[in-house]
């Protein structure tokens, strides 16, 4: 499968008379864009706000991030979600680089929502402070979940995917500034030179624990709670086959933007044919019951062994209960002779003294940590808030609270905040962006 991603580098995003892309400037007709978003009858109120790097702007509650893209041949950017189900991973897709569409709650947040600071101390905690963010700030008629801590956020999340495709259409018929090419030969038809290299497979564990459908990540529009581990071409991941869900504390989340640009996949591609033979992706899942976790680990280990993998990278979206899936998978791979490295965040408590993962195994002896979800973060007031700051305290965002007997309220009267890293939008960057390092004491 050969995938070409034609990149258009965004220098600025502005509002204007016509929605178009020209000389690095994305112009949006705000009135027409709002009318497009409100075609979904569940969106009752919406505004579009542009947030740029370096501004003293705080965005919360953020529910989703999507890179604007379009397929010149007319196929859906997200098959099974924004259009018909067709195989992703081949052909040409055009992408607007340096920006994202953010789905933001106008009035209500959720356990899996997060916060982005575009400037100041908070900017270092999330990749999205480095992008120009086109924020869909919306309210919906989903009153049945309005005061629920855990929300599906369906209308706002789906609006984000559709609007990203809407903006991508501005470059449908243009020539990109650069083209990235991703292509792997079939596993059993590679050259002798490539086959002599150590073979490596990437095991991904997207969030799929909610047995009630609608909260989980989706693959080709299929709720991944119904999924079993399968072998996928990495191009499918980069090309819209997966979208993010609404479940899991936000710093641990993979947004759709993460799937579209998954850095670990791109790094493995860079080394393919040089230092490794990149076999592809075993797309696994995260489960609730122990027997389900064991079954998935068996599937993953069998596939890796059958593919002839010498080594594997395992990465999980989440922590806590998913740690059991993560460690079982690592151990199962080691048991069949596949040398394995794990990538995840950890939960060591606010004091850093707790056990980092819920379960451990002596075979899991090569682990990469992307940070502590419970780390306390204090941030000064922002000049501007996009969304609703009080959602951090009122609505059960995983890193905020209404009142703590020691720390007081998460949102203070002057607009400053204290929160756990948990609520930083995709803050632990488990997809492979993370600049964090570890210190030994």
């Amino acid at each position: 499968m050969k995938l070409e991603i034609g990149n258009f580098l965004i220098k600025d995003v502005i509002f204007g008379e016509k929605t178009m892309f020209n000389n690095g400037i994305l112009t949006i007709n705000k009135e027409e864009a709002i009318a497009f978003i409100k075609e979904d009858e569940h969106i009752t109120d919406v505004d579009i706000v542009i947030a740029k790097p370096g501004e003293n702007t705080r965005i919360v509650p953020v529910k989703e991030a999507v890179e604007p893209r379009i397929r010149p041949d007319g196929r859906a950017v997200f098959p099974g979600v924004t259009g018909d189900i067709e195989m992703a991973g081949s052909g040409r897709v055009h992408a607007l680089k340096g920006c994202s569409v953010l789905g933001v709650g106008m009035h209500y947040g959720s356990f899996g929502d997060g916060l982005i600071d575009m400037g100041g101390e908070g900017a270092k905690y999330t990749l999205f402070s480095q992008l120009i963010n086109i924020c869909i700030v919306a309210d919906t008629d989903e009153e049945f979940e309005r005061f629920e801590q855990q929300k599906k956020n369906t209308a706002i999340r789906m609006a984000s995917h559709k609007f990203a495709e809407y903006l991508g259409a501005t470059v449908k018929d243009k020539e990109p500034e650069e083209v990235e090419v991703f292509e792997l030969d079939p596993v059993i038809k590679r050259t002798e030179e490539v086959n002599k290299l150590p073979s490596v497979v990437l095991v991904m564990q997207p969030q799929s624990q909610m047995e009630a459908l609608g909260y989980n990540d989706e693959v080709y529009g299929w709720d991944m709670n119904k999924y079993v581990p399968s072998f996928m071409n990495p191009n499918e991941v980069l090309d819209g086959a997966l979208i993010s869900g609404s479940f899991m504390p936000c710093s641990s989340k993979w947004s759709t933007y993460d799937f579209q640009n998954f850095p670990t996949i791109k790094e493995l591609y860079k080394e393919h044919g040089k230092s490794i033979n990149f076999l592809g992706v075993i797309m696994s899942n995260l489960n609730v019951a122990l027997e389900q976790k064991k079954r998935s680990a068996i599937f993953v280990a069998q596939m890796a062994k059958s593919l002839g993998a010498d080594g594997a990278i395992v990465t999980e979206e989440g922590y806590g209960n998913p740690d059991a899936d993560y460690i079982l998978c690592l151990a199962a791979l080691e048991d069949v002779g596949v040398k394995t490295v794990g990538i995840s965040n950890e939960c060591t408590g606010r004091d850093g003294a707790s056990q980092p993962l819920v379960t451990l195994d002596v075979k899991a002896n090569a682990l990469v940590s992307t940070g502590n979800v419970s780390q306390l973060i204090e941030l000064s007031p922002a000049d501007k808030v996009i969304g609703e700051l009080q959602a951090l305290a009122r609505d059960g965002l995983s890193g905020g609270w209404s009142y703590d007997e020691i720390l007081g309220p998460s949102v203070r009267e002057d607009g400053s905040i204290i929160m756990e890293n948990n609520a930083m939008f995709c803050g632990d960057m488990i997809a492979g962006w993370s600049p964090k390092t570890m210190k030994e004491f």
Side-chain angles (χ1 to χ4, degrees):
M1 296 175 70
K2 181 179 180 180
L3 173 66
E4 295 181 341
I5 302 180
N7 294 328
F8 296 79
L9 309 183
I10 295 291
K11 300 175 184 175
D12 200 4
V13 180
I14 60 175
F15 292 119
E17 293 184 0
K18 183 179 180 181
T19 298
M20 63 180 184
F21 175 86
N22 189 41
N23 293 324
I25 309 299
L26 176 63
T27 304
I28 302 171
N29 181 310
K30 186 174 181 178
E31 182 178 345
E32 290 178 358
I34 287 175
F36 171 79
I37 294 167
K38 292 190 76 173
E39 287 178 6
D40 183 344
E41 62 182 9
H42 298 293
I43 303 286
T44 57
D45 194 7
V46 64
D47 192 14
I48 300 173
V49 185
I50 299 169
K52 300 179 181 181
E55 297 176 344
N56 188 16
T57 297
R58 183 160 291 153
I59 312 170
V60 64
V62 184
K63 303 172 184 296
E64 172 66 300
V66 188
E67 182 171 79
R69 292 186 176 186
I70 195 69
R71 295 188 196 279
D73 64 7
R75 288 179 297 146
V77 172
F78 302 103
V81 178
T82 57
D84 293 339
I85 298 176
E86 296 186 59
M87 186 183 295
S90 62
R92 171 72 72 91
V93 63
H94 287 174
L96 298 177
K97 309 300 289 189
C99 69
S100 80
V101 171
L102 295 184
V104 183
M106 183 176 286
H107 295 301
Y108 295 95
S110 167
F111 181 73
D113 298 348
L115 177 146
I116 296 170
D117 268 7
M118 297 302 297
E121 173 71 10
K124 72 182 184 183
Y125 290 98
T126 174
L127 166 77
F128 293 92
S129 64
Q130 303 171 36
L131 304 177
I132 299 174
N133 293 303
I134 305 153
C135 304
I136 298 174
V137 188
D139 198 10
T140 78
D141 67 356
E142 297 161 318
E143 295 183 8
F144 61 93
E145 66 177 16
R146 179 158 288 174
F147 299 106
E148 294 291 328
Q149 184 187 47
Q150 186 66 54
K151 299 177 176 63
K152 295 179 182 179
N153 292 316
T154 302
I156 294 176
R157 290 194 298 115
M158 294 303 106
S160 302
H161 300 106
K162 293 174 184 176
F163 191 55
E165 196 171 73
Y166 174 92
L167 295 177
T170 59
V171 296
K172 181 177 181 179
D173 300 319
K174 293 181 178 290
E175 283 300 313
E177 298 167 56
E178 63 181 30
V179 177
E180 295 178 277
V181 179
F182 301 93
E183 185 175 17
L184 290 176
D185 290 331
V187 173
I188 63 171
K189 294 185 178 181
R190 296 182 181 175
T191 66
E192 184 178 352
E193 290 75 15
V194 171
N195 283 330
K196 286 180 179 178
L197 297 169
S199 55
V200 177
V201 67
L202 174 64
V203 180
M204 295 175 60
Q205 295 178 313
Q207 187 52 238
S208 53
Q209 286 187 294
M210 289 291 281
E211 293 179 338
L213 303 185
Y215 298 94
N216 301 297
D217 295 354
E218 295 181 7
V219 56
Y220 288 104
W222 189 30
D223 191 298
M224 293 193 76
N225 183 260
K226 300 299 182 182
Y227 188 80
V228 294
S230 304
F231 184 64
M232 290 184 70
N233 190 293
N235 291 3
E236 294 177 274
V237 181
L238 299 176
D239 193 31
L242 282 93
I243 66 166
S244 177
S246 67
F247 178 65
M248 184 46 55
C250 204
S251 71
S252 305
K253 182 182 288 188
W254 288 334
S255 69
T256 298
Y257 185 100
D258 287 308
F259 286 127
Q260 292 172 295
N261 294 279
F262 215 80
T264 304
I265 289 177
K266 290 188 174 183
E267 286 299 314
L268 288 166
Y269 253 117
K270 286 179 183 178
E271 292 303 312
H272 178 66
K274 299 175 183 177
S275 63
I276 63 168
N277 175 12
F278 179 27
L279 298 174
V281 173
I282 296 175
M283 189 63 65
S284 189
N285 56 349
L286 295 169
N287 303 281
V288 178
L290 182 58
E291 69 171 28
Q292 295 170 342
K293 298 174 188 289
K294 290 180 177 179
R295 188 180 297 118
S296 288
I298 290 169
F299 283 150
V300 168
Q302 177 274 124
M303 274 186 275
K305 187 67 173 178
S306 297
L307 288 165
D310 298 306
I313 297 172
V314 179
T315 182
E316 65 167 331
E317 181 186 8
Y319 72 94
N321 186 292
D323 292 343
D325 302 77
Y326 176 62
I327 294 297
L328 280 168
C329 189
L330 285 160
L333 286 162
E334 290 282 348
D335 283 341
V336 296
V338 179
K339 296 180 180 179
T340 306
V341 173
I343 305 174
S344 74
N345 56 13
E346 54 186 302
C347 183
T348 58
R350 293 175 181 177
D351 61 359
S354 299
Q355 180 172 303
L357 300 171
V358 167
T359 61
L360 295 170
D361 192 296
V362 293
K363 297 166 190 170
N365 57 7
L367 301 178
V368 177
S369 170
T370 62
N372 175 20
V373 300
S374 300
Q375 178 186 354
L376 282 174
I377 299 169
E378 292 192 62
L379 300 172
S380 301
D383 294 337
K384 178 181 179 181
V385 174
I386 298 174
E388 188 177 48
L389 181 59
Q390 195 57 35
L392 177 67
R394 183 193 62 219
D395 296 337
L397 273 67
S398 49
W401 54 85
S402 58
Y403 185 79
D404 181 274
E405 60 182 15
I406 297 174
L407 300 171
S410 191
V411 178
R412 296 160 176 159
E413 290 185 5
D414 65 353
S416 64
I417 60 176
I418 182 168
M419 55 179 271
E420 288 186 348
N421 176 53
N422 259 316
M424 277 293 173
F425 186 75
C426 301
D428 294 326
M429 298 180 265
I430 302 170
W433 313 96
S434 185
K436 297 176 183 176
T437 58
M438 300 298 295
K439 292 182 179 180
E440 292 189 12
F441 295 92

